[in-house]
Amino acid sequence: MINEFFQDGPSRVDGRAKVTGTATYVAEHRFPNMAYGYLVQSTIARGRILEIDAAEAEKQPGVVKVLSHLNLQKLALPERPAGTIPRPFYALTSPDVLFNAQPIAVVVADTFEQARFAASLVKVKYEQAPHQTDLEKAVSSAFTSGREQADRGTPAEAFAASEFKVEAEYTIPIEHHNAMEPHATVANWTDGKLTVYDKTQGIQGTTGYLASAFGIDRSNIRVLSPFVGGAFGAALRPGPNLIVAAMASREVKRPVKVVYSRRQLATAHGYRPESIQTLKISANKDGKLTSIIHEAVHNTSAHENFSESLVGVSRNLYSCPNVRTVAKIARTDLQTPLWMRAPGMVSGAWALESALDELSYKLKIDPMQLRLINYAETDPESGRPFSSKELRECYKQAAERFGWSKRKPEPRSMRDGKLLVGWGMATGTWPASQAPASARVTLNLDGTVRVESGTTDIGPGTYTTMTIIAARTMGVQIEKVTFVLGDSELPPSPGQGGSTTTSSVGTAVQEACELVLKQLVEHANKMEGSPFVGVDPETVVAEDAAILVKGKPETKRKFADILRQNNLQNVSLLHRSTPDQGRRSRYTIASHAAQFVEVKVDEEIGRVRVTRAVQGTAAGRIVNPKGAHSQEMGGVVWGVGMALMEKTEIDHKLGRIMNPNLAGYHVPVNADIGEIETIFVVEVDEIVNPLGAKGLGELGLVGIPAAIANAVFHATGKRVRDLPITPDKLI
Amino acid sequence: MRPFAFKRAAAPADAVKFVAANRDARFIAGGTNLVDLIKEGVDSPNELVDISRLPLSTVRSMPGGGITIGALAKNTDTANHPIVRKDFPLLTQAILAGASPQIRNMATNGGNLMQRTRCHYFYDLATPCNKRQPGSGCAAKDGLNRYSAIFGWSDSCVAVHPSDMCVALAALDAMVNVQGMDGKTRTIKFTDFHRLPEASPEKDNTLAHGELIVSIDVPKNNFAANSYYLKVRDRASYAFALVSVAAALHVERGTIRSARLALGGVAHKPWRAAAAESFLAGKRAEIGVFQQAAELAVKDAKPLSENGYKVKLAQRAVAKALGRAANL
Ligand SMILES: Cc1cc2nc3c(=O)[nH]c(=O)nc-3n(C[C@H](O)[C@H](O)[C@H](O)COP(=O)(O)OP(=O)(O)OC[C@H]3O[C@@H](n4cnc5c(N)ncnc54)[C@H](O)[C@@H]3O)c2cc1C
């Protein structure tokens, strides 16, 4: 019972609410008698709190209490002595300072302004310990991240024996998500029950976290997160705001709101870790890769072993007989890193796709051609077939649209007046996972359809995508469908991360709708003269709020009539969908992209502009075309930021992040962005999930930083291997 | 944020009186800088005197042919004023290179002169900064100083003045008219308005506490046909200058009669390149000459650990801006 999806998709169903301000974000929620909590952060990077002097602060008008590990009721967590790893950070539970700007107290007051002012009066005494925040220095004691994989073939020997090779080091600084919406929580305890509005990507995870922290049953906790103002991974782990607001509310017996300020946000959550990667790659004279040796180290914190896979991309993006990957992490006295859009993959691809570009010049082979020569027809790591892989078509269509064939191979050979022009490209990939998810679908007598699932929409358009899936499956108009998410009382679904929501929740929604249609058939069959008796259910379709045997308009039975005849107000069911792991495991399942960019460089002053980008994307069925276009466009914008300007600046002497605001941490503005075209190639995938849809929210970014650096090289003859490519590195 | 009293001045003299009487009082105009500083705790006045409704926002020609710009005229209105656009395009370009349209719509000219440095340490109360807290030290000098000064810094401060508008005003020999306690107006040469940090970086300029900027005069000049403001920054808009150059030439039949050159993002004040200016006078307006002038402009630069690039960048930017000014 699958209908074809709209060609030109509808616009965001939540767009109007967002632009008119009726979509309320966490910090906008109020409760009667609510108090405001303002965080006090540490001013040292490592050590112990000896004393918190809150006397002056507590004297201020409106101040209810200054809370810290010294006076807060303990959490229900097992003791983990200092030095235990992992020892996840729970704010205000210990005198230990693990990183600079760590929350160490919260001032609770009647108004936000009172709390903020009083927070400036809290005096703290520390016993300071030496810290290390510099990865370059910490790297000498790096250790394996536990992502070891056996060598494929004999990489060292192959590299040594090769005539054409590249050996280079690529670095990326710490980057922060800088979502528009700050981390925030409103917590309210009443009669032993806890309700929170929280900025989160995962309702279930947040509920579980609170349950274990406070030692109460999940059924006593309600988590709401109906609108999230961008998160990009930053809200995949509960932030200190959550636990602090909940602890403070329990203590002062009032609802408490805790909102991070922009400056404080830099340590409210993790960040893309700083990384140093060494690539050794070699090829024979025809361009066939003979070895890839990819070593990567990135920072983690002193108290947890966070690791992401930077080297994975080198194991399966290209066909190569000899591969070695080494993945290490090193301790720094910083907040623990966290996933940030295309985690690991974009960092690894930055190195691999840059190195391949370097190799293409040594070989005098066109960079795209080099990638085609090494095209992986099957997964080179596992030997399994791909469930589908239209990457070749991506190269073809995007290159054609871009005009790649007119590229002059020599660096510095293309100009626009005084500006140097460079064309660069890279490949992107992202695994297409699917997780169990559930949805409740209710078809009402009035023709409306309510679909509920406890997922979140951090911006990609989940509201819209799910509405489209339900409307098309049920054969009703978009306007008839209401999709509800962001509440722990809804059917449980996974958090929004890893570009898996459409695949997981979308499948649950589609299957639930199909089950509703099946029930309708059964109800219809209870009536005399039902046209569906004995008919193969697969041939029954839905359209115009009715079911019918495909191609037989005379069999059409209106939903409303069926319900009425059965004396039903609605048909409603809850469905839990589980991936067909047996089938999926026989394949490698991933989305792919070919990414082309043009830069224009004013060499005198080192100014780079990304004037054009074309993204060719193969991500299975495109369920929400406008949303997909926005995501791939957003990937380019993000890539421009990563390639040219984003960097979290740390003063290593102070062990402190020094540009924690949007004036000091640069993300692209409109003026930085040129033309962006997106192409979605046809890719039919019957393995990935019943929807046939793969994720694309992260994919669009993966190759962009490398493509830009490659274009800069083509324009200028300068290879920058240290992001971001700011003017000082080009003059 | 510390609680503060809020007053609205009915006349310039009132404003001066209120602020002069209280060390912890500040004028507030557009508020685009001051409010941020208060929110961050960098400044904590206990009294704000709103001057935004004072009648100091006109832009008009002076009898001698120059222009006088009200201290409370908005940056946007100043940049787009027909006389400014026609006779002082360097000023238009410089203002429009700064901040964002939204901020320029709020920002006043007086506030632009008085805006404070963007040095990371100045903004972070947990770090030493002599400008914010005299005697606490300068963390930037041996710390993150990619954005810091290459000219005129001292051991106590390496911060740069962030304004774009001021770079053009310095190049154009502007004068700042200020009103003091005695009700009289005094005039300060623009190039003397901001100061070098020396041992007292807490003082950005030579204005006394309570003195009110009422207007800025820009004298008549012959630069309108040949001037250019070049700003190099980390993104296309909405970023402070790594280096900026205001170049103005009076060219007659290919020969430079006189030249004005000022740099931004390189010192505690807009930096006039006097040696380069005198070198240019009388020379042909051509690339080779501009390159020599550019070399002179950075001759005395003293870069710090992370901003050596600024010397090269400034040199190239000067040559380029002069070239653009000469329409080459
Ligand atoms: C994100 C951001 C980016 C920016 N980017 C740039 C940029 O790229 N280039 C650039 O040049 N500027 C930039 N600016 C700065 C902007 O130009 C200034 O904030 C603005 O000009 C200040 O004017 P205001 O009227 O808002 O001053 P206010 O904030 O009201 O006041 C600033 C200071 O000036 C004092 N003051 C104001 N008027 C007078 C007066 N008449 N007499 C005496 N003292 C007075 C006040 O007491 C206060 O101390 C940026 C600002 C922001 C917030």
Short mmCIF file of all heavy atoms in Angstrom, two decimals, chain A residues 362-411:
data_model
loop_
_atom_site.label_atom_id
_atom_site.label_comp_id
_atom_site.label_asym_id
_atom_site.label_seq_id
_atom_site.Cartn_x
_atom_site.Cartn_y
_atom_site.Cartn_z
N LYS A 362 49.99 14.69 -8.25
CA LYS A 362 51.21 13.91 -8.49
C LYS A 362 51.02 12.96 -9.66
O LYS A 362 51.95 12.72 -10.44
CB LYS A 362 51.57 13.11 -7.24
CG LYS A 362 51.88 14.01 -6.06
CD LYS A 362 52.99 13.47 -5.19
CE LYS A 362 53.52 14.61 -4.33
NZ LYS A 362 54.01 14.18 -3.04
N LEU A 363 49.81 12.44 -9.75
CA LEU A 363 49.54 11.46 -10.81
C LEU A 363 49.18 12.12 -12.14
O LEU A 363 49.13 11.46 -13.17
CB LEU A 363 48.36 10.56 -10.39
CG LEU A 363 48.59 9.58 -9.25
CD1 LEU A 363 47.26 9.15 -8.65
CD2 LEU A 363 49.37 8.36 -9.75
N LYS A 364 48.85 13.43 -12.05
CA LYS A 364 48.30 14.15 -13.20
C LYS A 364 47.03 13.46 -13.71
O LYS A 364 46.85 13.22 -14.90
CB LYS A 364 49.34 14.28 -14.31
CG LYS A 364 50.57 15.09 -13.90
CD LYS A 364 51.35 15.52 -15.11
CE LYS A 364 52.56 16.39 -14.84
NZ LYS A 364 52.86 16.80 -13.49
N ILE A 365 46.20 13.11 -12.77
CA ILE A 365 44.89 12.52 -13.09
C ILE A 365 43.83 13.45 -12.49
O ILE A 365 43.99 13.93 -11.37
CB ILE A 365 44.75 11.11 -12.48
CG1 ILE A 365 45.74 10.15 -13.15
CG2 ILE A 365 43.32 10.58 -12.60
CD1 ILE A 365 45.74 8.75 -12.58
N ASP A 366 42.79 13.70 -13.23
CA ASP A 366 41.70 14.54 -12.74
C ASP A 366 41.18 14.00 -11.40
O ASP A 366 40.98 12.79 -11.26
CB ASP A 366 40.57 14.55 -13.79
CG ASP A 366 39.36 15.29 -13.28
OD1 ASP A 366 39.32 16.52 -13.46
OD2 ASP A 366 38.45 14.64 -12.69
N PRO A 367 40.94 14.89 -10.43
CA PRO A 367 40.52 14.42 -9.10
C PRO A 367 39.25 13.56 -9.12
O PRO A 367 39.15 12.59 -8.36
CB PRO A 367 40.26 15.71 -8.33
CG PRO A 367 41.05 16.77 -9.02
CD PRO A 367 41.15 16.35 -10.46
N MET A 368 38.30 13.89 -9.97
CA MET A 368 37.09 13.06 -10.01
C MET A 368 37.40 11.71 -10.65
O MET A 368 36.94 10.67 -10.20
CB MET A 368 35.96 13.76 -10.77
CG MET A 368 34.71 12.90 -10.81
SD MET A 368 33.27 13.71 -11.48
CE MET A 368 33.61 13.62 -13.22
N GLN A 369 38.22 11.76 -11.70
CA GLN A 369 38.62 10.53 -12.38
C GLN A 369 39.31 9.59 -11.40
O GLN A 369 39.05 8.38 -11.38
CB GLN A 369 39.56 10.90 -13.55
CG GLN A 369 39.82 9.77 -14.52
CD GLN A 369 38.53 9.16 -15.05
OE1 GLN A 369 37.54 9.87 -15.25
NE2 GLN A 369 38.52 7.84 -15.24
N LEU A 370 40.18 10.17 -10.56
CA LEU A 370 40.89 9.36 -9.57
C LEU A 370 39.90 8.64 -8.65
O LEU A 370 40.07 7.47 -8.30
CB LEU A 370 41.82 10.26 -8.74
CG LEU A 370 42.67 9.57 -7.68
CD1 LEU A 370 43.60 8.53 -8.29
CD2 LEU A 370 43.49 10.60 -6.89
N ARG A 371 38.85 9.32 -8.32
CA ARG A 371 37.84 8.71 -7.45
C ARG A 371 37.07 7.61 -8.20
O ARG A 371 36.72 6.59 -7.61
CB ARG A 371 36.92 9.78 -6.89
CG ARG A 371 37.62 10.57 -5.76
CD ARG A 371 37.04 11.93 -5.52
NE ARG A 371 37.63 12.59 -4.36
CZ ARG A 371 38.68 13.40 -4.38
NH1 ARG A 371 39.31 13.65 -5.52
NH2 ARG A 371 39.15 13.96 -3.28
N LEU A 372 36.84 7.85 -9.46
CA LEU A 372 36.14 6.83 -10.25
C LEU A 372 37.01 5.59 -10.44
O LEU A 372 36.52 4.45 -10.42
CB LEU A 372 35.70 7.40 -11.59
CG LEU A 372 34.52 8.39 -11.51
CD1 LEU A 372 34.35 9.17 -12.81
CD2 LEU A 372 33.23 7.65 -11.13
N ILE A 373 38.30 5.81 -10.62
CA ILE A 373 39.23 4.68 -10.79
C ILE A 373 39.18 3.78 -9.55
O ILE A 373 39.31 2.57 -9.64
CB ILE A 373 40.68 5.20 -11.03
CG1 ILE A 373 40.78 5.88 -12.39
CG2 ILE A 373 41.70 4.07 -10.90
CD1 ILE A 373 42.07 6.67 -12.60
N ASN A 374 38.98 4.41 -8.39
CA ASN A 374 39.01 3.65 -7.15
C ASN A 374 37.62 3.40 -6.55
O ASN A 374 37.47 3.15 -5.36
CB ASN A 374 39.91 4.36 -6.14
CG ASN A 374 41.35 4.37 -6.60
OD1 ASN A 374 42.00 3.33 -6.60
ND2 ASN A 374 41.83 5.51 -7.07
N TYR A 375 36.63 3.52 -7.41
CA TYR A 375 35.23 3.35 -6.99
C TYR A 375 35.03 2.00 -6.32
O TYR A 375 35.44 0.96 -6.85
CB TYR A 375 34.34 3.45 -8.23
CG TYR A 375 32.87 3.66 -7.92
CD1 TYR A 375 32.37 4.95 -7.73
CD2 TYR A 375 31.99 2.59 -7.87
CE1 TYR A 375 31.02 5.15 -7.48
CE2 TYR A 375 30.64 2.78 -7.61
CZ TYR A 375 30.16 4.07 -7.42
OH TYR A 375 28.83 4.28 -7.17
N ALA A 376 34.43 2.01 -5.16
CA ALA A 376 34.18 0.75 -4.46
C ALA A 376 32.84 0.17 -4.91
O ALA A 376 31.79 0.71 -4.58
CB ALA A 376 34.18 0.99 -2.95
N GLU A 377 32.88 -0.92 -5.66
CA GLU A 377 31.65 -1.55 -6.15
C GLU A 377 30.96 -2.32 -5.02
O GLU A 377 29.74 -2.43 -4.99
CB GLU A 377 31.94 -2.51 -7.30
CG GLU A 377 32.63 -1.88 -8.51
CD GLU A 377 31.71 -0.92 -9.29
OE1 GLU A 377 30.49 -0.88 -8.98
OE2 GLU A 377 32.21 -0.21 -10.18
N THR A 378 31.79 -2.86 -4.15
CA THR A 378 31.25 -3.50 -2.94
C THR A 378 32.02 -2.91 -1.77
O THR A 378 33.05 -2.26 -1.98
CB THR A 378 31.49 -5.02 -2.96
OG1 THR A 378 32.89 -5.24 -3.17
CG2 THR A 378 30.69 -5.71 -4.06
N ASP A 379 31.53 -3.13 -0.57
CA ASP A 379 32.21 -2.57 0.60
C ASP A 379 33.59 -3.19 0.72
O ASP A 379 33.72 -4.40 0.96
CB ASP A 379 31.37 -2.87 1.86
CG ASP A 379 32.01 -2.31 3.11
OD1 ASP A 379 33.17 -1.86 3.06
OD2 ASP A 379 31.34 -2.34 4.17
N PRO A 380 34.64 -2.41 0.55
CA PRO A 380 35.99 -3.00 0.55
C PRO A 380 36.37 -3.58 1.91
O PRO A 380 37.26 -4.41 2.01
CB PRO A 380 36.90 -1.82 0.19
CG PRO A 380 36.08 -0.59 0.32
CD PRO A 380 34.64 -0.97 0.32
N GLU A 381 35.69 -3.17 2.94
CA GLU A 381 36.03 -3.66 4.28
C GLU A 381 35.41 -5.03 4.53
O GLU A 381 36.10 -5.96 4.89
CB GLU A 381 35.54 -2.64 5.32
CG GLU A 381 35.90 -3.00 6.76
CD GLU A 381 37.39 -2.91 7.05
OE1 GLU A 381 38.13 -2.35 6.21
OE2 GLU A 381 37.81 -3.43 8.08
N SER A 382 34.12 -5.15 4.28
CA SER A 382 33.41 -6.39 4.63
C SER A 382 33.22 -7.29 3.42
O SER A 382 32.93 -8.46 3.57
CB SER A 382 32.04 -6.03 5.20
OG SER A 382 31.28 -5.37 4.19
N GLY A 383 33.37 -6.70 2.24
CA GLY A 383 33.11 -7.48 1.04
C GLY A 383 31.61 -7.57 0.71
O GLY A 383 31.22 -8.10 -0.33
N ARG A 384 30.77 -7.01 1.59
CA ARG A 384 29.32 -7.09 1.34
C ARG A 384 28.91 -6.13 0.22
O ARG A 384 29.54 -5.10 0.00
CB ARG A 384 28.55 -6.69 2.61
CG ARG A 384 28.56 -7.73 3.70
CD ARG A 384 27.59 -7.35 4.81
NE ARG A 384 28.02 -6.13 5.48
CZ ARG A 384 28.54 -6.10 6.69
NH1 ARG A 384 28.72 -7.21 7.37
NH2 ARG A 384 28.90 -4.96 7.24
N PRO A 385 27.81 -6.47 -0.45
CA PRO A 385 27.30 -5.52 -1.45
C PRO A 385 26.69 -4.31 -0.76
O PRO A 385 26.31 -4.37 0.41
CB PRO A 385 26.22 -6.32 -2.17
CG PRO A 385 25.80 -7.38 -1.19
CD PRO A 385 27.00 -7.68 -0.34
N PHE A 386 26.62 -3.20 -1.48
CA PHE A 386 25.87 -2.06 -0.98
C PHE A 386 24.40 -2.31 -1.25
O PHE A 386 24.03 -2.88 -2.28
CB PHE A 386 26.30 -0.78 -1.71
CG PHE A 386 27.68 -0.31 -1.30
CD1 PHE A 386 28.80 -0.57 -2.11
CD2 PHE A 386 27.87 0.38 -0.11
CE1 PHE A 386 30.06 -0.14 -1.73
CE2 PHE A 386 29.14 0.81 0.27
CZ PHE A 386 30.24 0.55 -0.54
N SER A 387 23.55 -1.87 -0.34
CA SER A 387 22.11 -2.04 -0.55
C SER A 387 21.69 -1.26 -1.79
O SER A 387 20.78 -1.64 -2.51
CB SER A 387 21.34 -1.56 0.68
OG SER A 387 21.55 -0.17 0.87
N SER A 388 22.37 -0.16 -2.03
CA SER A 388 22.22 0.63 -3.25
C SER A 388 23.35 1.64 -3.19
O SER A 388 23.80 2.00 -2.10
CB SER A 388 20.87 1.35 -3.31
OG SER A 388 20.75 2.26 -2.23
N LYS A 389 23.83 2.10 -4.32
CA LYS A 389 24.92 3.09 -4.31
C LYS A 389 24.97 3.77 -5.66
O LYS A 389 25.57 3.26 -6.60
CB LYS A 389 26.25 2.41 -3.99
CG LYS A 389 27.42 3.40 -3.95
CD LYS A 389 28.75 2.72 -3.62
CE LYS A 389 29.89 3.72 -3.71
NZ LYS A 389 31.21 3.12 -3.43
N GLU A 390 24.31 4.91 -5.75
CA GLU A 390 24.28 5.63 -7.02
C GLU A 390 25.30 6.77 -7.01
O GLU A 390 25.07 7.84 -7.58
CB GLU A 390 22.87 6.17 -7.28
CG GLU A 390 21.81 5.08 -7.47
CD GLU A 390 22.06 4.20 -8.69
OE1 GLU A 390 22.81 4.62 -9.60
OE2 GLU A 390 21.52 3.07 -8.72
N LEU A 391 26.43 6.52 -6.35
CA LEU A 391 27.45 7.57 -6.27
C LEU A 391 27.99 7.95 -7.65
O LEU A 391 28.25 9.12 -7.93
CB LEU A 391 28.59 7.10 -5.36
CG LEU A 391 29.81 8.02 -5.25
CD1 LEU A 391 29.40 9.42 -4.75
CD2 LEU A 391 30.86 7.42 -4.31
N ARG A 392 28.12 6.94 -8.52
CA ARG A 392 28.63 7.23 -9.86
C ARG A 392 27.73 8.26 -10.57
O ARG A 392 28.20 9.18 -11.22
CB ARG A 392 28.71 5.94 -10.67
CG ARG A 392 29.77 6.00 -11.73
CD ARG A 392 29.91 4.69 -12.47
NE ARG A 392 31.11 3.98 -12.09
CZ ARG A 392 31.14 2.78 -11.54
NH1 ARG A 392 30.03 2.14 -11.24
NH2 ARG A 392 32.28 2.21 -11.26
N GLU A 393 26.45 8.06 -10.37
CA GLU A 393 25.47 8.98 -10.96
C GLU A 393 25.59 10.39 -10.33
O GLU A 393 25.41 11.40 -11.01
CB GLU A 393 24.07 8.40 -10.76
CG GLU A 393 23.00 8.93 -11.68
CD GLU A 393 23.30 8.81 -13.16
OE1 GLU A 393 24.05 7.88 -13.58
OE2 GLU A 393 22.80 9.66 -13.93
N CYS A 394 25.91 10.42 -9.04
CA CYS A 394 26.12 11.72 -8.37
C CYS A 394 27.27 12.46 -9.01
O CYS A 394 27.18 13.65 -9.33
CB CYS A 394 26.44 11.53 -6.89
SG CYS A 394 25.11 10.87 -5.90
N TYR A 395 28.40 11.74 -9.20
CA TYR A 395 29.56 12.37 -9.85
C TYR A 395 29.14 12.93 -11.20
O TYR A 395 29.44 14.06 -11.55
CB TYR A 395 30.69 11.36 -10.07
CG TYR A 395 31.43 10.89 -8.83
CD1 TYR A 395 31.62 9.52 -8.60
CD2 TYR A 395 31.99 11.78 -7.93
CE1 TYR A 395 32.33 9.06 -7.49
CE2 TYR A 395 32.70 11.33 -6.81
CZ TYR A 395 32.87 9.97 -6.60
OH TYR A 395 33.57 9.52 -5.51
N LYS A 396 28.47 12.07 -11.94
CA LYS A 396 28.15 12.41 -13.33
C LYS A 396 27.25 13.65 -13.39
O LYS A 396 27.56 14.63 -14.06
CB LYS A 396 27.46 11.21 -13.99
CG LYS A 396 27.18 11.37 -15.46
CD LYS A 396 26.81 10.02 -16.09
CE LYS A 396 26.20 10.23 -17.45
NZ LYS A 396 24.74 10.38 -17.39
N GLN A 397 26.14 13.58 -12.68
CA GLN A 397 25.17 14.68 -12.78
C GLN A 397 25.69 15.98 -12.16
O GLN A 397 25.50 17.06 -12.73
CB GLN A 397 23.85 14.28 -12.12
CG GLN A 397 23.12 13.19 -12.89
CD GLN A 397 21.72 12.95 -12.33
OE1 GLN A 397 21.10 13.85 -11.77
NE2 GLN A 397 21.23 11.73 -12.49
N ALA A 398 26.36 15.86 -11.01
CA ALA A 398 26.83 17.08 -10.36
C ALA A 398 27.97 17.70 -11.16
O ALA A 398 28.04 18.93 -11.31
CB ALA A 398 27.26 16.79 -8.93
N ALA A 399 28.86 16.87 -11.70
CA ALA A 399 29.98 17.39 -12.50
C ALA A 399 29.45 18.10 -13.74
O ALA A 399 29.95 19.16 -14.12
CB ALA A 399 30.91 16.24 -12.90
N GLU A 400 28.43 17.52 -14.33
CA GLU A 400 27.84 18.10 -15.53
C GLU A 400 27.22 19.47 -15.21
O GLU A 400 27.47 20.45 -15.90
CB GLU A 400 26.78 17.16 -16.06
CG GLU A 400 26.53 17.27 -17.53
CD GLU A 400 25.64 16.12 -17.97
OE1 GLU A 400 26.18 14.99 -18.11
OE2 GLU A 400 24.43 16.33 -18.10
N ARG A 401 26.46 19.51 -14.15
CA ARG A 401 25.81 20.76 -13.76
C ARG A 401 26.86 21.82 -13.42
O ARG A 401 26.71 22.99 -13.72
CB ARG A 401 24.90 20.51 -12.55
CG ARG A 401 24.08 21.71 -12.13
CD ARG A 401 22.91 21.96 -13.08
NE ARG A 401 21.97 20.85 -13.09
CZ ARG A 401 20.95 20.71 -12.25
NH1 ARG A 401 20.71 21.62 -11.36
NH2 ARG A 401 20.16 19.67 -12.32
N PHE A 402 27.93 21.36 -12.78
CA PHE A 402 28.97 22.28 -12.35
C PHE A 402 29.81 22.79 -13.52
O PHE A 402 30.34 23.89 -13.51
CB PHE A 402 29.88 21.56 -11.34
CG PHE A 402 30.90 22.46 -10.70
CD1 PHE A 402 30.57 23.23 -9.58
CD2 PHE A 402 32.20 22.53 -11.20
CE1 PHE A 402 31.51 24.06 -8.99
CE2 PHE A 402 33.15 23.36 -10.60
CZ PHE A 402 32.80 24.12 -9.50
N GLY A 403 29.93 21.95 -14.54
CA GLY A 403 30.80 22.29 -15.67
C GLY A 403 32.23 21.82 -15.47
O GLY A 403 33.17 22.40 -16.01
N TRP A 404 32.36 20.77 -14.70
CA TRP A 404 33.69 20.26 -14.30
C TRP A 404 34.60 19.98 -15.50
O TRP A 404 35.82 20.14 -15.42
CB TRP A 404 33.49 19.00 -13.46
CG TRP A 404 34.74 18.44 -12.86
CD1 TRP A 404 35.42 17.34 -13.27
CD2 TRP A 404 35.45 18.95 -11.71
NE1 TRP A 404 36.51 17.12 -12.46
CE2 TRP A 404 36.56 18.09 -11.49
CE3 TRP A 404 35.27 20.04 -10.86
CZ2 TRP A 404 37.48 18.29 -10.46
CZ3 TRP A 404 36.17 20.23 -9.82
CH2 TRP A 404 37.26 19.37 -9.63
N SER A 405 34.01 19.57 -16.62
CA SER A 405 34.85 19.19 -17.77
C SER A 405 35.62 20.39 -18.31
O SER A 405 36.62 20.23 -19.02
CB SER A 405 33.98 18.58 -18.87
OG SER A 405 33.06 19.57 -19.31
N LYS A 406 35.20 21.59 -17.95
CA LYS A 406 35.93 22.78 -18.44
C LYS A 406 37.06 23.17 -17.50
O LYS A 406 37.72 24.20 -17.69
CB LYS A 406 34.96 23.96 -18.58
CG LYS A 406 33.89 23.72 -19.64
CD LYS A 406 33.10 25.01 -19.89
CE LYS A 406 31.69 24.72 -20.31
NZ LYS A 406 30.80 24.37 -19.18
N ARG A 407 37.28 22.38 -16.47
CA ARG A 407 38.33 22.71 -15.51
C ARG A 407 39.71 22.55 -16.14
O ARG A 407 40.02 21.53 -16.76
CB ARG A 407 38.21 21.78 -14.31
CG ARG A 407 39.25 21.98 -13.23
CD ARG A 407 38.93 21.03 -12.08
NE ARG A 407 39.81 21.14 -10.95
CZ ARG A 407 40.95 20.45 -10.80
NH1 ARG A 407 41.32 19.61 -11.74
NH2 ARG A 407 41.68 20.59 -9.72
N LYS A 408 40.55 23.58 -15.98
CA LYS A 408 41.94 23.44 -16.41
C LYS A 408 42.71 22.81 -15.26
O LYS A 408 42.65 23.29 -14.14
CB LYS A 408 42.53 24.81 -16.75
CG LYS A 408 41.85 25.46 -17.94
CD LYS A 408 42.60 26.74 -18.33
CE LYS A 408 41.76 27.58 -19.25
NZ LYS A 408 42.04 29.02 -19.08
N PRO A 409 43.44 21.75 -15.53
CA PRO A 409 44.03 20.99 -14.41
C PRO A 409 45.10 21.75 -13.63
O PRO A 409 45.25 21.53 -12.44
CB PRO A 409 44.63 19.76 -15.08
CG PRO A 409 44.66 20.04 -16.54
CD PRO A 409 43.65 21.09 -16.83
N GLU A 410 45.86 22.63 -14.29
CA GLU A 410 46.97 23.30 -13.61
C GLU A 410 46.48 24.24 -12.51
O GLU A 410 45.56 25.03 -12.73
CB GLU A 410 47.75 24.16 -14.62
CG GLU A 410 48.77 23.40 -15.42
CD GLU A 410 49.81 22.76 -14.52
OE1 GLU A 410 50.54 23.51 -13.84
OE2 GLU A 410 49.86 21.51 -14.49
N PRO A 411 47.12 24.23 -11.33
CA PRO A 411 46.80 25.24 -10.33
C PRO A 411 47.10 26.64 -10.89
O PRO A 411 48.00 26.78 -11.73
CB PRO A 411 47.75 24.93 -9.17
CG PRO A 411 48.19 23.53 -9.39
CD PRO A 411 48.12 23.26 -10.86
#
